[in-house]
Amino acid sequence: MSEVRSRKKLIEVALPLEAINAASAREKSIRHGHPSTLHLWWARRPLASARAVIFAQMVDDPSACPEEFPTEEAQARERERLFRLIEKLVQWENTTNEALLEEARQEIWKSWQRACRDNAHHPRAEELFNPKRLPAFHDPFAGGGALPLEAQRLGLEAYASDLNPVAVLINKAMIEIPPRFANRPPVNPEARAKKALMEREWKGAQGLAEDVRYYGRWMRDEAERRIGHLYPKVKITPEMAQDRPDLKPLVGQELTVIAWIWARTVRSPNPAFAHVEVPLASTFMLSTKPGKEAYVEPVIEGDGYRFTVKVGKPKDPEAAKMGTKLARGANFRCLMSGMPIAADYIYAEARSKRIGTRLMAIVAEGPNGRIYLPPTLEHEMVVLEAKPDWKPDVPMPDNPRWFSPPLYGFTTYGDLFTPRQLVSLTTFADLVGEAMERVRQDALAAGLPDDDTPLREGGTGARAYAEAVGVYLGFAVDKMSDRNSAICGWDSSRDSIRGVFGRQAIPMVWDFAESNSVGGNAGSFENALEQIQQVLGHLPSLLPGVSKQADAQNQTVSAGKIISTDPPYYDNIGYADLSDFFYVWLRRSLRSVFPDLFATVAVPKAEELVATPYRHGSKDKAEQFFLEGMTKALARLAEQAHPAFPVTIYYAFKQSESEGNGEARRTGWETFLEAVIRAGFSITGTWPMRTELSNRMVGKDTNALASSIVLVCRKRPENAPTATRREFLSALKEELPKALRLLQAGNIAPVDLAQAAIGPGMAVYTRYAGVLDAEGNPVTVREALALINQVLDEALAEQEGDFDPDTRWALAWFEQFGFGEGEFGVAETLSKAKNTSVEGLVEAGILESRRGKVRLLKPEELPGDWDPVRDGRFTYWEAVHQLVLRLETGGEMAAADLLAKLGSRGDTARELAYRLYALCERKGWSKEALSYNALVQSWPEIARLSQEGKAPAQTELF
């Protein structure tokens, strides 16, 4: 069979990473209209990175088009033009910019036309290279759907598949349903009664969004009629206002309750108070906003207690902050006696089903914001009226890493909800079916065909449309469950309810907030509905999309599709187990619409490609399952992907991981790479995508990974050569330093540099069919990674050759002592090796020496008026730390003024910052590492500012 002629794509040569990463990180703070607010999904890819990757995956690099761009200069200009397009394309504000999107689509078509001309005489040209139709797109691990959605936005028919039914439904709601009912007016009677609405143009999913709003509002009103008595208002009494001046103007008024804050309780372990249910409260703080502080104060009365609420700063802030908690985990103190309540005692009470609840406070909506009130008997007793007639009985897994509640007797997903929450959620879930019937009748009245073909079979008539509206209404119920669970805490810094999934786990929460589901607050059905309606306005509806349930290991991807995918990350996230939290509610509300999708009582788990030891019996068996399954899935992609395009695969990982005995063990990254190689792929490019904000729950004040690596893969030629270990190492030493320079020039953050540099190294390793050692044994992925790290360290060390002797001395000293003191004799010996002297280092202004001790000066100890032009003994060490000092005290502009004076020496200073970051990370010196990382990340802006209005620095004269 003839070979397909494939031109090198932009993603295999260069990308404007800085712009993509900045847009991706910013996107995490955008809520209104963002698809992530349609339905929660874990580790969802940012739209910006998905859009950029797919575009660059399909567009030719100018170097692959010499007939159009014959010189390197012409190629560079064209590449820069494409970069500018990508930089605009990734901005959130341009998500619905049709003119810009059409420009991007035309670039894709231009490259596609070249591919069709190149392969016009290929035996499968009619099948693979139709110049009138772009290839379709497929993501076999579709998850939250960002990749299929962005492929559709770029003009491709999108196919999404996933084993998880929750993921399948999310993708249906984004890529399949909106195009099917695009450009239709709403059918609800309110809209049809208004002539102006009926005569306007309804673009995309606007009409669908309007019907979701209307029938959702009907559901909310109907729910309030049925269960509103379970959510009474709170009346401000004179007794409440007695010691609360802020309440005096409100006496006699009834306020809408936003939330009820409860503490779990156990019987006191002190025999004298064994009859008292004491609170397990992790905090008594209700609001920590400056000037609006409020807290719960327990009042002991006889052999009992009550809660009251105070405003202002507590007398004992630490006690109020800790509540009755003594330490992390289930460790509390008895409110009555002060004696510790050990975790084992709480476990025993939990197993005996003796954990109770006690109302601590009521949060109401006042005329000027939140008002915190003490509990009342009416509000404590009203919950007893809630009698749920159904409760999800799906068990949670025995996996404390992701699920803490089973340790305390909460063994099923139904146990995560209070009786009032169960009544509310079942009421809303059942109303979805009633709403669909109303939509159907109104659709028929509006003139939609009386076609009984269901949505799942491709219907477009009244029944299918009603079911389509029902999907989004079901999502609103599902979204509501995330903030209507007894695992929802109260965020005192924001005065709001936290969702269940602040991280990718279900933790135990001791004091929880119960939301008013029929109010208009963050945990209400109305709020969830509003978010969904906003998302529908941002979804593309030009081309058809398909979402189906399928196992990536066994499904057939029809040949000739573009593939970009974000597979599971080894054992990072238990998607299937976590999805059951939502699945039980979706199944109740939408099983009639998708009976096959919701045929099982829980999400399928046996085939899920996650390395979970509790499911497979051991860590080794879990790893083997993951490796074999991922290899099989990726091999199918290698065989079936369109031969003219690379496959892109996202992966997030932490590279280093070791056993307690110091021996390195396999990591998820290593296992995944092995699967990629076994599947028949070679790696042609790797790109670190910085996709996280530093203030996210997992990453704040931690060393959590902030990047994904996008692997660009091509099917490895069947005639790929075999190499010796020496040949592999020789190629590494030749190619990796160049790649390292390019990564640094591209301003890769130091925190990501070591991991990003693995990519070019693996590109060398995977170009061979195999790498053999001197005895003829294969060099494993683990050994290859070790060699890559070795060469990387050597390359970084070689960069020290650019540094002056004083800086080289300071580096060696810093590695051993940091900014701490050391012996003068040791410093003197080291200075001889580095061809400098302690006296000279003191003269250079970077070292203090006295009383037989020496130490490096910290940035804050350096002179504030330092000028590199006038410094008679310039060192890169001082240059970097002066830049750190200026950045931290005066911001980017102050650092830019100094960089302008450094001139061409600035690039070497940045190399030193990289080197220092790597050293600090290895040593675990997080404070210093953050300073060096911040300098490199701010470098592009500092450099830009240094060039604006600056005369050329004259450092070259000295």
Side-chain angles (χ1 to χ4, degrees):
M1 176 179 162
S2 301
E3 288 293 323
V4 166
R5 183 186 171 192
S6 177
R7 298 184 188 235
K8 188 171 286 189
K9 301 301 177 183
L10 186 63
I11 201 168
E12 296 176 290
V13 177
L15 282 180
L17 267 185
E18 183 187 340
I20 298 169
N21 293 342
S24 297
R26 174 176 172 251
E27 193 179 308
K28 294 299 182 80
S29 63
I30 295 170
R31 305 298 294 165
H32 296 293
H34 196 280
S36 63
T37 62
L38 180 69
H39 192 289
L40 187 145
W41 188 258
W42 303 271
R44 187 191 297 262
R45 289 299 97 207
L47 306 184
S49 58
R51 197 178 308 151
V53 166
I54 295 169
F55 175 83
Q57 183 178 351
M58 297 196 69
V59 171
D60 297 330
D61 184 75
S63 65
C65 309
E67 71 278 15
E68 296 178 50
F69 310 105
T71 66
E72 287 187 6
E73 291 77 11
Q75 292 166 14
R77 285 195 300 272
E78 175 64 6
R79 194 176 293 121
E80 190 65 23
R81 184 186 70 83
L82 293 173
F83 279 11
R84 299 293 81 79
L85 176 57
I86 292 175
E87 287 168 4
K88 290 186 288 184
L89 198 62
V90 296
Q91 297 301 316
W92 166 253
E93 292 77 10
N94 290 327
T95 302
T96 56
N97 183 335
E98 268 303 311
L100 180 63
L101 289 169
E102 185 56 31
E103 185 180 347
R105 293 172 195 140
Q106 289 305 314
E107 289 296 337
I108 291 172
W109 269 102
K110 196 185 300 181
S111 293
W112 176 238
Q113 294 295 337
R114 291 192 195 107
C116 292
R117 289 195 299 271
D118 291 344
N119 295 280
H121 301 295
H122 191 276
R124 297 175 62 194
E126 188 175 343
E127 173 193 358
L128 294 176
F129 296 98
N130 183 346
K132 297 181 179 178
R133 184 172 182 174
L134 286 173
F137 173 91
H138 186 84
D139 180 359
F141 295 100
L147 277 62
L149 178 68
E150 291 310 310
Q152 192 177 60
R153 204 186 305 276
L154 288 171
L156 310 179
E157 290 186 9
Y159 290 78
S161 59
D162 204 292
L163 182 65
N164 191 311
V166 177
V168 173
L169 201 57
I170 291 172
N171 279 273
K172 282 183 178 293
M174 292 202 302
I175 68 167
E176 185 175 304
I177 294 174
R180 195 181 302 178
F181 301 100
N183 307 322
R184 291 189 183 185
V187 303
N188 72 78
E190 181 180 273
R192 286 191 290 117
K194 297 177 181 178
K195 184 178 179 182
L197 287 180
M198 286 297 96
E199 290 178 349
R200 60 159 281 191
E201 182 182 8
W202 294 87
K203 294 183 179 179
Q206 291 177 344
L208 181 61
E210 172 59 25
D211 279 335
V212 169
R213 182 203 65 80
Y214 175 86
Y215 294 101
R217 178 56 65 92
W218 173 83
M219 282 177 60
R220 185 259 173 216
D221 293 343
E222 186 64 18
E224 185 173 34
R225 186 182 67 80
R226 298 181 189 185
I227 60 172
H229 63 283
L230 296 177
Y231 299 94
K233 293 187 175 184
V234 60
K235 186 173 183 179
I236 307 300
T237 64
E239 291 76 21
M240 288 180 183
Q242 189 171 355
D243 299 319
R244 294 273 301 274
D246 61 312
L247 296 182
K248 292 189 186 299
L250 303 176
V251 170
Q253 293 187 30
E254 289 190 331
L255 305 180
T256 299
V257 176
I258 293 170
W260 293 264
I261 300 179
W262 301 82
R264 302 194 197 278
T265 62
V266 294
R267 294 182 307 176
S268 171
N270 188 318
F273 300 100
H275 60 290
V276 181
E277 297 278 334
V278 293
L280 307 176
S282 58
T283 183
F284 285 140
M285 292 304 301
L286 297 171
S287 176
T288 56
K289 287 186 173 180
K292 296 184 179 181
E293 293 88 354
Y295 60 97
V296 172
E297 184 175 87
V299 180
I300 297 176
E301 296 177 333
D303 62 351
Y305 66 93
R306 63 181 173 86
F307 290 119
T308 187
V309 170
K310 302 284 188 180
V311 294
K313 294 181 179 179
K315 295 178 182 177
D316 188 344
E318 191 60 29
K321 179 182 176 182
M322 292 299 293
T324 61
K325 199 167 182 62
L326 291 176
R328 186 178 179 183
N331 294 282
F332 293 84
R333 64 176 174 83
C334 172
L335 181 65
M336 301 302 296
S337 66
M339 74 175 290
I341 307 176
D344 288 345
Y345 177 82
I346 295 175
Y347 291 146
E349 291 293 285
R351 286 192 293 268
S352 300
K353 302 292 184 182
R354 286 197 293 266
I355 288 188
T357 54
R358 179 83 175 258
L359 186 61
M360 288 202 299
I362 298 171
V363 188
E365 188 65 70
N368 298 308
R370 305 284 191 258
I371 292 179
Y372 294 93
L373 302 169
T376 68
L377 182 61
E378 176 196 1
H379 284 258
E380 285 209 74
M381 298 302 292
V382 72
V383 298
L384 299 177
E385 299 177 30
K387 306 292 184 185
D389 58 6
W390 181 77
K391 176 181 175 180
D393 58 1
V394 174
M396 279 182 278
D398 181 18
N399 181 10
R401 177 185 175 189
W402 293 328
F403 297 86
S404 300
L407 296 173
Y408 305 99
F410 302 96
T411 57
T412 71
Y413 288 92
D415 292 336
L416 301 179
F417 302 91
T418 68
R420 175 161 55 182
Q421 290 169 335
L422 288 170
V423 169
S424 174
L425 288 166
T426 52
T427 298
F428 275 104
D430 293 344
L431 280 168
V432 171
E434 296 181 36
M436 284 193 290
E437 184 53 37
R438 296 178 77 89
V439 178
R440 183 175 185 175
Q441 295 303 321
D442 291 340
L444 290 171
L448 264 67
D450 187 9
D451 182 357
D452 203 43
T453 305
L455 181 68
R456 65 181 181 274
E457 295 178 9
T460 57
R463 173 182 171 175
Y465 184 71
E467 291 174 339
V469 174
V471 167
Y472 301 101
L473 298 178
F475 272 15
V477 178
D478 231 28
K479 283 175 62 66
M480 193 174 68
S481 70
D482 183 39
R483 291 180 182 264
N484 278 269
S485 160
I487 304 297
C488 295
W490 181 256
D491 188 340
S492 61
S493 65
R494 297 184 178 182
D495 291 348
S496 64
I497 291 177
R498 291 192 184 98
V500 173
F501 294 101
R503 56 191 182 91
Q504 294 134 353
I506 297 181
M508 183 61 181
V509 175
W510 298 104
D511 37 280
F512 63 91
E514 193 177 12
S515 176
N516 183 347
S517 63
V518 295
N521 55 290
S524 67
F525 180 81
E526 186 176 343
N527 181 262
L529 194 70
E530 181 181 352
Q531 290 182 340
I532 289 170
Q533 185 185 357
Q534 290 173 341
V535 172
L536 281 170
H538 284 78
L539 297 179
S541 306
L542 297 174
L543 291 163
V546 174
S547 174
K548 64 177 183 177
Q549 186 178 26
D551 180 2
Q553 299 177 66
N554 302 309
Q555 69 172 313
T556 298
V557 178
S558 57
K561 287 190 174 69
I562 308 298
I563 294 176
S564 183
T565 192
D566 184 18
Y569 299 160
Y570 191 60
D571 64 346
N572 285 12
I573 303 170
Y575 299 94
D577 289 325
L578 295 172
S579 295
D580 278 336
F581 179 90
F582 295 117
Y583 179 86
V584 294
W585 298 109
L586 285 173
R587 188 171 189 261
R588 184 174 178 94
S589 58
L590 296 174
R591 189 180 180 186
S592 63
V593 180
F594 299 105
D596 294 339
L597 201 57
F598 295 107
T600 54
V601 296
V603 172
K605 299 178 179 65
E607 299 87 2
E608 184 189 29
L609 280 177
V610 176
T612 47
Y614 81 92
R615 192 179 292 164
H616 298 284
S618 72
K619 187 174 293 184
D620 289 341
K621 289 181 180 178
E623 181 181 281
Q624 190 63 27
F625 169 82
F626 178 85
L627 177 59
E628 291 178 358
M630 190 59 70
T631 301
K632 186 176 179 182
L634 295 176
R636 297 188 75 80
L637 299 187
E639 291 295 329
Q640 299 172 19
H642 198 294
F645 297 90
V647 170
T648 53
I649 306 171
Y650 291 74
Y651 206 78
F653 64 95
K654 282 193 174 181
Q655 178 194 340
S656 59
E657 193 172 328
S658 63
E659 298 288 311
N661 61 8
E663 292 183 10
R665 71 172 175 85
R666 296 174 67 92
T667 64
W669 172 236
E670 177 189 333
T671 306
F672 181 76
L673 282 175
E674 192 168 323
V676 171
I677 296 162
R678 284 191 187 181
F681 277 123
S682 62
I683 298 168
T684 62
T686 61
W687 299 101
M689 294 287 175
R690 198 162 190 80
T691 58
E692 303 294 344
L693 292 170
S694 60
N695 63 353
R696 72 199 194 281
M697 182 173 288
V698 176
K700 192 174 183 181
D701 300 325
T702 72
N703 290 328
L705 180 70
S707 290
S708 301
I709 299 297
V710 176
L711 289 168
V712 186
C713 304
R714 296 263 190 181
K715 187 177 180 183
R716 188 167 54 249
E718 294 181 3
N719 60 350
T722 299
T724 65
R725 183 181 185 277
R726 177 176 292 182
E727 289 170 333
F728 167 54
L729 191 57
S730 176
L732 269 182
K733 289 183 176 182
E734 180 181 350
E735 298 179 34
L736 193 56
K738 298 175 185 176
L740 178 62
R741 296 272 184 181
L742 286 172
L743 286 169
Q744 290 174 328
N747 218 61
I748 300 298
V751 72
D752 297 320
L753 182 64
Q755 293 171 335
I758 290 171
M762 290 307 299
V764 176
Y765 180 71
T766 59
R767 75 168 61 129
Y768 303 115
V771 178
L772 305 178
D773 63 18
E775 297 177 357
N777 299 316
V779 172
T780 65
V781 172
R782 181 191 300 185
E783 292 170 314
L785 288 172
L787 288 171
I788 291 167
N789 279 320
Q790 174 187 318
V791 175
L792 175 62
D793 286 343
E794 291 172 2
L796 286 169
E798 282 177 13
Q799 292 182 350
E800 290 184 19
D802 297 334
F803 305 149
D804 54 272
D806 290 350
T807 295
R808 290 199 293 271
W809 180 94
L811 260 176
W813 181 267
F814 185 73
E815 184 167 9
Q816 185 168 353
F817 298 102
F819 287 112
E821 285 187 335
E823 297 292 336
F824 176 89
V826 176
E828 181 68 19
T829 300
L830 179 63
S831 70
K832 291 182 174 67
K834 298 295 182 181
N835 196 28
T836 183
S837 68
V838 172
E839 183 181 342
L841 291 160
V842 172
E843 180 189 336
I846 64 174
L847 191 73
E848 178 187 81
S849 174
R850 61 178 183 171
R851 296 179 181 177
K853 301 285 185 181
V854 304
R855 68 177 181 87
L856 287 164
L857 296 177
K858 298 177 182 178
E860 58 267 26
E861 296 176 302
L862 298 175
D865 59 351
W866 181 73
D867 187 338
V869 177
R870 297 190 179 93
D871 192 336
R873 187 161 177 151
F874 172 87
T875 68
Y876 284 107
W877 181 270
E878 184 167 15
V880 164
H881 290 88
Q882 286 283 358
L883 284 166
V884 168
L885 176 64
R886 306 289 173 92
L887 180 62
E888 293 182 347
T889 58
E892 291 171 342
M893 183 59 77
D897 289 339
L898 178 54
L899 182 60
K901 294 178 180 180
L902 286 171
S904 61
R905 294 189 286 197
D907 289 341
T908 306
R910 185 172 67 161
E911 285 182 8
L912 177 57
Y914 271 107
R915 179 77 171 137
L916 285 167
Y917 172 82
L919 194 156
C920 290
E921 186 195 36
R922 190 168 69 247
K923 292 283 189 179
W925 299 339
S926 58
K927 180 178 180 296
E928 290 81 3
L930 286 171
S931 294
Y932 302 129
N933 193 58
L935 176 61
V936 174
Q937 285 195 278
S938 302
W939 199 275
E941 182 62 12
I942 294 171
R944 185 185 68 80
L945 291 171
S946 74
Q947 297 301 318
E948 289 185 357
K950 303 293 181 185
Q954 300 182 26
T955 56
E956 299 305 328
L957 296 176
F958 296 87

